[in-house]
Amino acid sequence: MATSDRLPNRLLRYAESRKNLTGCAAGLAGLALTLTGAAGALWPLVVVGLYAAGALIAPPERPDTPCFPDAGEQLDALRADFTKLRAYLAEVELPPAARERVDELAELLDALLAPGWVSDPEQLHVLARAVRQDVPEAVDTFVRTRWWSRVTPGAEPPERHLERQLSALREEASAIADELHEAEALRQQTHTRYLEERNR
């Protein structure tokens, strides 16, 4: 059944293909030769031969280029995921020092994810990794480890690792903020020079 369903689709695809259309055009040229009498008694072979030649010389079919979301669409999806992350972080019970670091990181991420700032693919990748993987994993690992540390006292407090992880993530996000600040400062300086030179 699957083979019979696929056969009409294949035939339809071939009928619309460049090879078939080029072959048909060449076959029509063969019919025109037949009508003028140039093909003679072997006109069916001429028509079939020209169709085959046209199908062979036609350029191969090329699949459509995949359409990926642009930076704006990626940012919209990332902001939606960040909203989910903030709701999750609000529910998690954290020690005061870790809560402070989480809130600072969330504020920084919120500012970076505001429309109109980040468009560089590498920066978007870093932010997406932080929102979708690093922050949730750091907090979830802390919650799980804290539960086990109650069962096995004397181990290193899990909040130390969480605080270190959050600090590392904040440094990473701060580096992006610094790059954006430098780019805007350079843009401002360039515009100032342009205005000053224009008025000379």
Side-chain angles (χ1 to χ4, degrees), residues 9-163:
N9 289 337
R10 276 197 225 147
L11 290 173
L12 184 62
R13 274 200 307 271
Y14 181 75
E16 297 171 345
S17 71
R18 293 177 187 174
K19 288 190 171 296
N20 183 50
L21 294 176
T22 307
C24 287
L28 284 174
L31 283 176
L33 287 173
T34 301
L35 293 175
T36 60
L42 298 176
W43 68 268
L45 291 176
V46 171
V47 171
V48 170
L50 285 174
Y51 173 85
L56 285 173
I57 64 167
E61 289 299 315
R62 202 175 26 132
D64 293 333
T65 304
C67 183
F68 297 111
D70 62 18
E73 293 170 329
Q74 290 178 27
L75 191 59
D76 290 342
L78 188 52
R79 282 193 65 76
D81 291 343
F82 179 65
T83 302
K84 292 178 195 171
L85 176 63
R86 283 198 102 154
Y88 164 72
L89 293 175
E91 292 179 15
V92 176
E93 182 186 336
L94 296 173
R99 172 58 64 190
E100 185 179 338
R101 283 200 169 94
V102 162
D103 291 343
E104 287 174 1
L105 179 59
E107 283 178 27
L108 182 54
L109 290 173
D110 191 33
L112 289 170
L113 293 173
W117 289 115
V118 176
S119 59
D120 179 70
E122 190 60 39
Q123 293 175 342
L124 275 172
H125 172 71
V126 171
L127 294 174
R129 186 179 58 200
V131 169
R132 294 175 177 150
Q133 178 182 342
D134 294 337
V135 175
E137 186 173 336
V139 173
D140 183 60
T141 305
F142 162 75
V143 171
R144 292 169 182 267
T145 309
R146 182 178 58 176
W147 185 87
W148 282 107
S149 66
R150 292 174 184 164
V151 180
T152 57
E156 185 179 9
E159 48 267 21
R160 282 192 197 153
H161 284 286
L162 177 61
E163 289 168 19

